[in-house]
Amino acid sequence: MTDPAGPSSAVVRPRRAADLDACVAALALVHEHSGYPVDWPERPAAWLTPATLLAGWAAELHGLVVGHVALCAADEGDAAAALWSGRPDRPAPAVVSRLYVSPAARGHGIGAALLERAVGTARARGLHPVLDVVAADPAAAFYERLGWQGLGSVVQQWGPARSVLLNCYAAPPPDRPAAR
């Protein structure tokens, strides 16, 4: 998606292997500013490329990579996918993951554009997009503003002595346009 707004326009495009260093640099800014991801990954480029990856996109603003999103196949530990799949007559889920935008690039609609690309790809594959957010993360308001529907909350064990509450969401139905 290209934003025709002029010189500050953002471009969302398929992520290339050559983008990984820039994606990691943007992720480091997000982690420092917003605490996402909660735990800095030991190998951030590998974290951005999980084994279940179906597709990934990078967002550019002024020629710099400033955002990222991944679409992944549902895996055994995906809380939102499990809640979605537990309901009858639902298409299989796809998990929207690793969505972030550099702090300095926020306010340009980049997060929504990245999310839109992942949702469109999931639907084109006959899958329904789902995601989970750490309950304390203010990003939940972003998803709710875009019409994502709560599926419930799940406590996950992140290590032997750490429990984390996740709020799980499903994309709005395809026949209902997302809010902006």
Side-chain angles (χ1 to χ4, degrees), residues 81-130:
L83 289 175
W84 175 261
S85 297
R87 299 175 180 195
D89 302 321
R90 304 275 175 147
V95 179
V96 176
S97 181
R98 279 62 164 169
L99 173 59
Y100 60 90
V101 176
S102 293
R106 294 178 184 169
H108 293 274
I110 296 169
L114 284 162
L115 188 59
E116 183 178 315
R117 183 65 62 93
V119 167
T121 299
R123 290 192 170 137
R125 294 177 182 213
L127 303 169
H128 192 87
V130 298

mmCIF file of all heavy atoms in Angstrom, residues 81-130:
data_model
loop_
_atom_site.group_PDB
_atom_site.id
_atom_site.type_symbol
_atom_site.label_atom_id
_atom_site.label_comp_id
_atom_site.label_asym_id
_atom_site.label_seq_id
_atom_site.Cartn_x
_atom_site.Cartn_y
_atom_site.Cartn_z
ATOM 1 N N ALA A 81 -5.204 -18.106 18.425
ATOM 2 C CA ALA A 81 -5.588 -19.147 17.471
ATOM 3 C C ALA A 81 -6.364 -20.260 18.162
ATOM 4 O O ALA A 81 -7.350 -20.770 17.622
ATOM 5 C CB ALA A 81 -4.347 -19.705 16.777
ATOM 6 N N ALA A 82 -5.940 -20.621 19.368
ATOM 7 C CA ALA A 82 -6.640 -21.673 20.111
ATOM 8 C C ALA A 82 -8.057 -21.232 20.465
ATOM 9 O O ALA A 82 -9.004 -22.011 20.327
ATOM 10 C CB ALA A 82 -5.862 -22.037 21.372
ATOM 11 N N LEU A 83 -8.214 -19.986 20.928
ATOM 12 C CA LEU A 83 -9.556 -19.504 21.257
ATOM 13 C C LEU A 83 -10.433 -19.422 20.011
ATOM 14 O O LEU A 83 -11.613 -19.766 20.049
ATOM 15 C CB LEU A 83 -9.482 -18.133 21.935
ATOM 16 C CG LEU A 83 -8.935 -18.122 23.361
ATOM 17 C CD1 LEU A 83 -8.799 -16.693 23.866
ATOM 18 C CD2 LEU A 83 -9.816 -18.946 24.292
ATOM 19 N N TRP A 84 -9.868 -18.957 18.904
ATOM 20 C CA TRP A 84 -10.626 -18.847 17.655
ATOM 21 C C TRP A 84 -11.039 -20.236 17.166
ATOM 22 O O TRP A 84 -12.193 -20.448 16.789
ATOM 23 C CB TRP A 84 -9.793 -18.146 16.589
ATOM 24 C CG TRP A 84 -10.468 -18.107 15.254
ATOM 25 C CD1 TRP A 84 -10.236 -18.942 14.193
ATOM 26 C CD2 TRP A 84 -11.501 -17.218 14.838
ATOM 27 N NE1 TRP A 84 -11.062 -18.610 13.151
ATOM 28 C CE2 TRP A 84 -11.851 -17.555 13.515
ATOM 29 C CE3 TRP A 84 -12.166 -16.155 15.458
ATOM 30 C CZ2 TRP A 84 -12.826 -16.867 12.800
ATOM 31 C CZ3 TRP A 84 -13.138 -15.472 14.742
ATOM 32 C CH2 TRP A 84 -13.463 -15.827 13.434
ATOM 33 N N SER A 85 -10.129 -21.176 17.179
ATOM 34 C CA SER A 85 -10.395 -22.516 16.657
ATOM 35 C C SER A 85 -11.372 -23.295 17.525
ATOM 36 O O SER A 85 -11.984 -24.245 17.052
ATOM 37 C CB SER A 85 -9.087 -23.303 16.530
ATOM 38 O OG SER A 85 -8.238 -22.681 15.601
ATOM 39 N N GLY A 86 -11.539 -22.893 18.769
ATOM 40 C CA GLY A 86 -12.457 -23.567 19.669
ATOM 41 C C GLY A 86 -13.915 -23.274 19.374
ATOM 42 O O GLY A 86 -14.801 -23.850 19.998
ATOM 43 N N ARG A 87 -14.170 -22.414 18.429
ATOM 44 C CA ARG A 87 -15.545 -22.086 18.054
ATOM 45 C C ARG A 87 -15.897 -22.818 16.760
ATOM 46 O O ARG A 87 -15.076 -22.920 15.864
ATOM 47 C CB ARG A 87 -15.681 -20.576 17.877
ATOM 48 C CG ARG A 87 -15.361 -19.836 19.166
ATOM 49 C CD ARG A 87 -15.372 -18.357 18.961
ATOM 50 N NE ARG A 87 -15.052 -17.700 20.235
ATOM 51 C CZ ARG A 87 -15.259 -16.430 20.456
ATOM 52 N NH1 ARG A 87 -15.768 -15.658 19.527
ATOM 53 N NH2 ARG A 87 -14.954 -15.904 21.623
ATOM 54 N N PRO A 88 -17.131 -23.298 16.661
ATOM 55 C CA PRO A 88 -17.499 -24.098 15.481
ATOM 56 C C PRO A 88 -17.625 -23.240 14.220
ATOM 57 O O PRO A 88 -17.892 -22.043 14.276
ATOM 58 C CB PRO A 88 -18.855 -24.698 15.878
ATOM 59 C CG PRO A 88 -19.397 -23.785 16.920
ATOM 60 C CD PRO A 88 -18.211 -23.196 17.628
ATOM 61 N N ASP A 89 -17.459 -23.904 13.090
ATOM 62 C CA ASP A 89 -17.681 -23.305 11.768
ATOM 63 C C ASP A 89 -16.888 -22.034 11.530
ATOM 64 O O ASP A 89 -17.415 -21.033 11.041
ATOM 65 C CB ASP A 89 -19.181 -23.039 11.554
ATOM 66 C CG ASP A 89 -20.007 -24.301 11.685
ATOM 67 O OD1 ASP A 89 -19.540 -25.354 11.214
ATOM 68 O OD2 ASP A 89 -21.106 -24.235 12.264
ATOM 69 N N ARG A 90 -15.625 -22.059 11.866
ATOM 70 C CA ARG A 90 -14.744 -20.905 11.659
ATOM 71 C C ARG A 90 -13.652 -21.297 10.668
ATOM 72 O O ARG A 90 -13.162 -22.414 10.713
ATOM 73 C CB ARG A 90 -14.071 -20.477 12.968
ATOM 74 C CG ARG A 90 -15.003 -20.166 14.100
ATOM 75 C CD ARG A 90 -15.443 -18.744 13.981
ATOM 76 N NE ARG A 90 -16.428 -18.453 15.003
ATOM 77 C CZ ARG A 90 -16.549 -17.285 15.574
ATOM 78 N NH1 ARG A 90 -15.749 -16.313 15.249
ATOM 79 N NH2 ARG A 90 -17.502 -17.071 16.443
ATOM 80 N N PRO A 91 -13.248 -20.362 9.811
ATOM 81 C CA PRO A 91 -12.073 -20.666 8.985
ATOM 82 C C PRO A 91 -10.845 -20.814 9.874
ATOM 83 O O PRO A 91 -10.806 -20.291 10.991
ATOM 84 C CB PRO A 91 -11.945 -19.445 8.069
ATOM 85 C CG PRO A 91 -12.794 -18.380 8.666
ATOM 86 C CD PRO A 91 -13.785 -19.040 9.580
ATOM 87 N N ALA A 92 -9.850 -21.501 9.382
ATOM 88 C CA ALA A 92 -8.612 -21.679 10.143
ATOM 89 C C ALA A 92 -7.988 -20.305 10.408
ATOM 90 O O ALA A 92 -8.118 -19.383 9.598
ATOM 91 C CB ALA A 92 -7.650 -22.560 9.359
ATOM 92 N N PRO A 93 -7.305 -20.166 11.540
ATOM 93 C CA PRO A 93 -6.697 -18.870 11.862
ATOM 94 C C PRO A 93 -5.308 -18.703 11.246
ATOM 95 O O PRO A 93 -4.625 -19.676 10.925
ATOM 96 C CB PRO A 93 -6.585 -18.919 13.389
ATOM 97 C CG PRO A 93 -6.386 -20.378 13.688
ATOM 98 C CD PRO A 93 -7.199 -21.119 12.647
ATOM 99 N N ALA A 94 -4.930 -17.452 11.087
ATOM 100 C CA ALA A 94 -3.547 -17.057 10.801
ATOM 101 C C ALA A 94 -3.205 -16.015 11.854
ATOM 102 O O ALA A 94 -4.053 -15.185 12.218
ATOM 103 C CB ALA A 94 -3.422 -16.473 9.405
ATOM 104 N N VAL A 95 -1.987 -16.044 12.356
ATOM 105 C CA VAL A 95 -1.606 -15.180 13.466
ATOM 106 C C VAL A 95 -0.827 -13.968 12.967
ATOM 107 O O VAL A 95 0.215 -14.114 12.316
ATOM 108 C CB VAL A 95 -0.765 -15.966 14.498
ATOM 109 C CG1 VAL A 95 -0.346 -15.068 15.657
ATOM 110 C CG2 VAL A 95 -1.548 -17.174 14.999
ATOM 111 N N VAL A 96 -1.364 -12.786 13.264
ATOM 112 C CA VAL A 96 -0.663 -11.545 12.986
ATOM 113 C C VAL A 96 0.336 -11.347 14.119
ATOM 114 O O VAL A 96 -0.024 -11.430 15.294
ATOM 115 C CB VAL A 96 -1.638 -10.349 12.900
ATOM 116 C CG1 VAL A 96 -0.881 -9.044 12.712
ATOM 117 C CG2 VAL A 96 -2.647 -10.569 11.772
ATOM 118 N N SER A 97 1.584 -11.102 13.766
ATOM 119 C CA SER A 97 2.651 -11.114 14.760
ATOM 120 C C SER A 97 3.725 -10.096 14.409
ATOM 121 O O SER A 97 3.834 -9.658 13.266
ATOM 122 C CB SER A 97 3.237 -12.533 14.782
ATOM 123 O OG SER A 97 4.245 -12.670 15.717
ATOM 124 N N ARG A 98 4.529 -9.741 15.409
ATOM 125 C CA ARG A 98 5.701 -8.883 15.206
ATOM 126 C C ARG A 98 5.334 -7.569 14.518
ATOM 127 O O ARG A 98 6.042 -7.085 13.652
ATOM 128 C CB ARG A 98 6.770 -9.601 14.378
ATOM 129 C CG ARG A 98 7.676 -10.570 15.107
ATOM 130 C CD ARG A 98 7.000 -11.712 15.721
ATOM 131 N NE ARG A 98 7.962 -12.775 16.064
ATOM 132 C CZ ARG A 98 7.636 -13.789 16.808
ATOM 133 N NH1 ARG A 98 6.434 -13.911 17.316
ATOM 134 N NH2 ARG A 98 8.525 -14.712 17.094
ATOM 135 N N LEU A 99 4.199 -6.994 14.907
ATOM 136 C CA LEU A 99 3.757 -5.706 14.358
ATOM 137 C C LEU A 99 4.303 -4.586 15.221
ATOM 138 O O LEU A 99 4.057 -4.541 16.429
ATOM 139 C CB LEU A 99 2.228 -5.639 14.316
ATOM 140 C CG LEU A 99 1.613 -4.296 13.925
ATOM 141 C CD1 LEU A 99 2.076 -3.847 12.556
ATOM 142 C CD2 LEU A 99 0.094 -4.390 13.970
ATOM 143 N N TYR A 100 5.050 -3.693 14.602
ATOM 144 C CA TYR A 100 5.577 -2.531 15.320
ATOM 145 C C TYR A 100 5.917 -1.422 14.339
ATOM 146 O O TYR A 100 6.141 -1.664 13.151
ATOM 147 C CB TYR A 100 6.808 -2.902 16.159
ATOM 148 C CG TYR A 100 7.963 -3.446 15.359
ATOM 149 C CD1 TYR A 100 8.933 -2.586 14.837
ATOM 150 C CD2 TYR A 100 8.087 -4.805 15.120
ATOM 151 C CE1 TYR A 100 9.992 -3.087 14.089
ATOM 152 C CE2 TYR A 100 9.133 -5.301 14.392
ATOM 153 C CZ TYR A 100 10.093 -4.440 13.870
ATOM 154 O OH TYR A 100 11.131 -4.928 13.134
ATOM 155 N N VAL A 101 5.928 -0.204 14.867
ATOM 156 C CA VAL A 101 6.303 0.990 14.113
ATOM 157 C C VAL A 101 7.230 1.808 14.998
ATOM 158 O O VAL A 101 6.945 2.019 16.184
ATOM 159 C CB VAL A 101 5.061 1.821 13.717
ATOM 160 C CG1 VAL A 101 5.462 3.114 13.026
ATOM 161 C CG2 VAL A 101 4.125 1.005 12.823
ATOM 162 N N SER A 102 8.324 2.272 14.426
ATOM 163 C CA SER A 102 9.284 3.104 15.173
ATOM 164 C C SER A 102 8.562 4.293 15.801
ATOM 165 O O SER A 102 7.673 4.876 15.176
ATOM 166 C CB SER A 102 10.365 3.639 14.242
ATOM 167 O OG SER A 102 11.167 2.612 13.768
ATOM 168 N N PRO A 103 8.945 4.677 17.005
ATOM 169 C CA PRO A 103 8.277 5.793 17.685
ATOM 170 C C PRO A 103 8.222 7.066 16.849
ATOM 171 O O PRO A 103 7.185 7.731 16.793
ATOM 172 C CB PRO A 103 9.107 5.985 18.954
ATOM 173 C CG PRO A 103 9.734 4.661 19.201
ATOM 174 C CD PRO A 103 9.975 4.060 17.849
ATOM 175 N N ALA A 104 9.291 7.415 16.172
ATOM 176 C CA ALA A 104 9.320 8.657 15.386
ATOM 177 C C ALA A 104 8.432 8.596 14.152
ATOM 178 O O ALA A 104 8.087 9.634 13.584
ATOM 179 C CB ALA A 104 10.758 8.975 14.972
ATOM 180 N N ALA A 105 8.028 7.397 13.731
ATOM 181 C CA ALA A 105 7.214 7.254 12.524
ATOM 182 C C ALA A 105 5.729 7.065 12.835
ATOM 183 O O ALA A 105 4.924 6.897 11.919
ATOM 184 C CB ALA A 105 7.722 6.077 11.699
ATOM 185 N N ARG A 106 5.359 7.085 14.078
ATOM 186 C CA ARG A 106 3.954 6.887 14.444
ATOM 187 C C ARG A 106 3.135 8.111 14.050
ATOM 188 O O ARG A 106 3.646 9.215 13.941
ATOM 189 C CB ARG A 106 3.845 6.586 15.933
ATOM 190 C CG ARG A 106 4.488 5.253 16.250
ATOM 191 C CD ARG A 106 4.470 4.901 17.711
ATOM 192 N NE ARG A 106 5.195 3.637 17.901
ATOM 193 C CZ ARG A 106 5.533 3.160 19.056
ATOM 194 N NH1 ARG A 106 5.217 3.782 20.173
ATOM 195 N NH2 ARG A 106 6.200 2.021 19.126
ATOM 196 N N GLY A 107 1.855 7.879 13.829
ATOM 197 C CA GLY A 107 0.963 8.970 13.457
ATOM 198 C C GLY A 107 0.809 9.147 11.952
ATOM 199 O O GLY A 107 0.140 10.065 11.497
ATOM 200 N N HIS A 108 1.406 8.251 11.170
ATOM 201 C CA HIS A 108 1.305 8.309 9.708
ATOM 202 C C HIS A 108 0.400 7.214 9.155
ATOM 203 O O HIS A 108 0.344 7.030 7.945
ATOM 204 C CB HIS A 108 2.695 8.182 9.076
ATOM 205 C CG HIS A 108 3.604 9.333 9.350
ATOM 206 N ND1 HIS A 108 3.617 10.472 8.592
ATOM 207 C CD2 HIS A 108 4.519 9.523 10.327
ATOM 208 C CE1 HIS A 108 4.522 11.313 9.069
ATOM 209 N NE2 HIS A 108 5.077 10.754 10.131
ATOM 210 N N GLY A 109 -0.257 6.453 10.012
ATOM 211 C CA GLY A 109 -1.114 5.360 9.557
ATOM 212 C C GLY A 109 -0.347 4.106 9.163
ATOM 213 O O GLY A 109 -0.902 3.207 8.538
ATOM 214 N N ILE A 110 0.927 4.037 9.531
ATOM 215 C CA ILE A 110 1.762 2.911 9.121
ATOM 216 C C ILE A 110 1.323 1.615 9.796
ATOM 217 O O ILE A 110 1.253 0.565 9.156
ATOM 218 C CB ILE A 110 3.252 3.218 9.392
ATOM 219 C CG1 ILE A 110 3.690 4.403 8.525
ATOM 220 C CG2 ILE A 110 4.123 1.993 9.143
ATOM 221 C CD1 ILE A 110 5.041 4.985 8.880
ATOM 222 N N GLY A 111 1.021 1.669 11.089
ATOM 223 C CA GLY A 111 0.574 0.467 11.786
ATOM 224 C C GLY A 111 -0.691 -0.093 11.164
ATOM 225 O O GLY A 111 -0.804 -1.308 10.935
ATOM 226 N N ALA A 112 -1.643 0.779 10.853
ATOM 227 C CA ALA A 112 -2.893 0.334 10.224
ATOM 228 C C ALA A 112 -2.636 -0.236 8.831
ATOM 229 O O ALA A 112 -3.248 -1.234 8.438
ATOM 230 C CB ALA A 112 -3.896 1.482 10.166
ATOM 231 N N ALA A 113 -1.709 0.374 8.084
ATOM 232 C CA ALA A 113 -1.395 -0.120 6.740
ATOM 233 C C ALA A 113 -0.727 -1.495 6.805
ATOM 234 O O ALA A 113 -1.038 -2.383 6.007
ATOM 235 C CB ALA A 113 -0.501 0.876 6.009
ATOM 236 N N LEU A 114 0.190 -1.677 7.748
ATOM 237 C CA LEU A 114 0.821 -2.983 7.925
ATOM 238 C C LEU A 114 -0.222 -4.035 8.296
ATOM 239 O O LEU A 114 -0.244 -5.138 7.737
ATOM 240 C CB LEU A 114 1.906 -2.905 8.998
ATOM 241 C CG LEU A 114 3.212 -2.235 8.598
ATOM 242 C CD1 LEU A 114 4.013 -1.839 9.831
ATOM 243 C CD2 LEU A 114 4.036 -3.147 7.692
ATOM 244 N N LEU A 115 -1.083 -3.689 9.236
ATOM 245 C CA LEU A 115 -2.123 -4.616 9.675
ATOM 246 C C LEU A 115 -3.061 -4.960 8.522
ATOM 247 O O LEU A 115 -3.426 -6.124 8.326
ATOM 248 C CB LEU A 115 -2.885 -4.012 10.856
ATOM 249 C CG LEU A 115 -3.875 -4.902 11.562
ATOM 250 C CD1 LEU A 115 -3.211 -6.152 12.136
ATOM 251 C CD2 LEU A 115 -4.568 -4.121 12.686
ATOM 252 N N GLU A 116 -3.425 -3.971 7.743
ATOM 253 C CA GLU A 116 -4.306 -4.187 6.593
ATOM 254 C C GLU A 116 -3.684 -5.166 5.596
ATOM 255 O O GLU A 116 -4.363 -6.029 5.053
ATOM 256 C CB GLU A 116 -4.588 -2.843 5.921
ATOM 257 C CG GLU A 116 -5.551 -2.898 4.762
ATOM 258 C CD GLU A 116 -5.796 -1.515 4.192
ATOM 259 O OE1 GLU A 116 -6.011 -0.566 4.967
ATOM 260 O OE2 GLU A 116 -5.760 -1.393 2.949
ATOM 261 N N ARG A 117 -2.389 -5.034 5.368
ATOM 262 C CA ARG A 117 -1.712 -5.937 4.430
ATOM 263 C C ARG A 117 -1.743 -7.368 4.963
ATOM 264 O O ARG A 117 -2.017 -8.308 4.213
ATOM 265 C CB ARG A 117 -0.275 -5.467 4.225
ATOM 266 C CG ARG A 117 0.511 -6.289 3.222
ATOM 267 C CD ARG A 117 -0.030 -6.210 1.786
ATOM 268 N NE ARG A 117 0.011 -4.878 1.261
ATOM 269 C CZ ARG A 117 1.000 -4.358 0.544
ATOM 270 N NH1 ARG A 117 2.048 -5.103 0.270
ATOM 271 N NH2 ARG A 117 0.918 -3.129 0.108
ATOM 272 N N ALA A 118 -1.455 -7.555 6.237
ATOM 273 C CA ALA A 118 -1.467 -8.898 6.816
ATOM 274 C C ALA A 118 -2.873 -9.493 6.788
ATOM 275 O O ALA A 118 -3.052 -10.670 6.444
ATOM 276 C CB ALA A 118 -0.922 -8.862 8.243
ATOM 277 N N VAL A 119 -3.870 -8.697 7.121
ATOM 278 C CA VAL A 119 -5.256 -9.169 7.118
ATOM 279 C C VAL A 119 -5.679 -9.563 5.705
ATOM 280 O O VAL A 119 -6.283 -10.620 5.485
ATOM 281 C CB VAL A 119 -6.198 -8.092 7.710
ATOM 282 C CG1 VAL A 119 -7.658 -8.414 7.422
ATOM 283 C CG2 VAL A 119 -5.964 -7.962 9.208
ATOM 284 N N GLY A 120 -5.367 -8.721 4.729
ATOM 285 C CA GLY A 120 -5.730 -9.020 3.342
ATOM 286 C C GLY A 120 -5.100 -10.308 2.845
ATOM 287 O O GLY A 120 -5.741 -11.113 2.153
ATOM 288 N N THR A 121 -3.856 -10.531 3.197
ATOM 289 C CA THR A 121 -3.163 -11.751 2.781
ATOM 290 C C THR A 121 -3.769 -12.971 3.457
ATOM 291 O O THR A 121 -3.975 -14.009 2.818
ATOM 292 C CB THR A 121 -1.662 -11.640 3.075
ATOM 293 O OG1 THR A 121 -1.139 -10.541 2.332
ATOM 294 C CG2 THR A 121 -0.923 -12.920 2.708
ATOM 295 N N ALA A 122 -4.061 -12.861 4.743
ATOM 296 C CA ALA A 122 -4.695 -13.986 5.447
ATOM 297 C C ALA A 122 -6.017 -14.345 4.778
ATOM 298 O O ALA A 122 -6.278 -15.522 4.493
ATOM 299 C CB ALA A 122 -4.910 -13.635 6.914
ATOM 300 N N ARG A 123 -6.822 -13.347 4.514
ATOM 301 C CA ARG A 123 -8.137 -13.608 3.913
ATOM 302 C C ARG A 123 -8.006 -14.174 2.507
ATOM 303 O O ARG A 123 -8.788 -15.046 2.116
ATOM 304 C CB ARG A 123 -8.963 -12.337 3.944
ATOM 305 C CG ARG A 123 -9.373 -12.005 5.366
ATOM 306 C CD ARG A 123 -10.424 -10.934 5.420
ATOM 307 N NE ARG A 123 -10.917 -10.851 6.793
ATOM 308 C CZ ARG A 123 -11.143 -9.733 7.433
ATOM 309 N NH1 ARG A 123 -10.942 -8.571 6.838
ATOM 310 N NH2 ARG A 123 -11.587 -9.746 8.677
ATOM 311 N N ALA A 124 -7.028 -13.700 1.747
ATOM 312 C CA ALA A 124 -6.809 -14.228 0.399
ATOM 313 C C ALA A 124 -6.437 -15.706 0.444
ATOM 314 O O ALA A 124 -6.684 -16.441 -0.517
ATOM 315 C CB ALA A 124 -5.718 -13.425 -0.314
ATOM 316 N N ARG A 125 -5.872 -16.151 1.560
ATOM 317 C CA ARG A 125 -5.508 -17.565 1.740
ATOM 318 C C ARG A 125 -6.620 -18.362 2.414
ATOM 319 O O ARG A 125 -6.432 -19.524 2.772
ATOM 320 C CB ARG A 125 -4.234 -17.667 2.573
ATOM 321 C CG ARG A 125 -3.024 -17.104 1.864
ATOM 322 C CD ARG A 125 -1.802 -17.148 2.740
ATOM 323 N NE ARG A 125 -0.653 -16.572 2.072
ATOM 324 C CZ ARG A 125 0.587 -16.974 2.240
ATOM 325 N NH1 ARG A 125 0.865 -17.961 3.063
ATOM 326 N NH2 ARG A 125 1.569 -16.375 1.612
ATOM 327 N N GLY A 126 -7.776 -17.738 2.637
ATOM 328 C CA GLY A 126 -8.891 -18.426 3.278
ATOM 329 C C GLY A 126 -8.739 -18.575 4.776
ATOM 330 O O GLY A 126 -9.396 -19.406 5.394
ATOM 331 N N LEU A 127 -7.879 -17.748 5.387
ATOM 332 C CA LEU A 127 -7.617 -17.811 6.826
ATOM 333 C C LEU A 127 -8.202 -16.589 7.516
ATOM 334 O O LEU A 127 -8.399 -15.547 6.882
ATOM 335 C CB LEU A 127 -6.102 -17.863 7.067
ATOM 336 C CG LEU A 127 -5.366 -19.011 6.382
ATOM 337 C CD1 LEU A 127 -3.861 -18.817 6.470
ATOM 338 C CD2 LEU A 127 -5.786 -20.346 6.974
ATOM 339 N N HIS A 128 -8.467 -16.711 8.814
ATOM 340 C CA HIS A 128 -8.981 -15.568 9.570
ATOM 341 C C HIS A 128 -7.884 -15.047 10.502
ATOM 342 O O HIS A 128 -7.327 -15.793 11.299
ATOM 343 C CB HIS A 128 -10.218 -15.939 10.388
ATOM 344 C CG HIS A 128 -10.899 -14.725 10.908
ATOM 345 N ND1 HIS A 128 -11.846 -14.043 10.175
ATOM 346 C CD2 HIS A 128 -10.736 -14.021 12.057
ATOM 347 C CE1 HIS A 128 -12.248 -12.988 10.864
ATOM 348 N NE2 HIS A 128 -11.577 -12.951 12.010
ATOM 349 N N PRO A 129 -7.566 -13.743 10.420
ATOM 350 C CA PRO A 129 -6.495 -13.175 11.238
ATOM 351 C C PRO A 129 -6.871 -13.071 12.717
ATOM 352 O O PRO A 129 -7.972 -12.626 13.060
ATOM 353 C CB PRO A 129 -6.294 -11.775 10.663
ATOM 354 C CG PRO A 129 -7.096 -11.721 9.413
ATOM 355 C CD PRO A 129 -8.127 -12.789 9.487
ATOM 356 N N VAL A 130 -5.941 -13.475 13.563
ATOM 357 C CA VAL A 130 -6.073 -13.354 15.011
ATOM 358 C C VAL A 130 -4.743 -12.854 15.559
ATOM 359 O O VAL A 130 -3.717 -12.904 14.868
ATOM 360 C CB VAL A 130 -6.456 -14.698 15.677
ATOM 361 C CG1 VAL A 130 -7.806 -15.195 15.174
ATOM 362 C CG2 VAL A 130 -5.377 -15.753 15.466
#
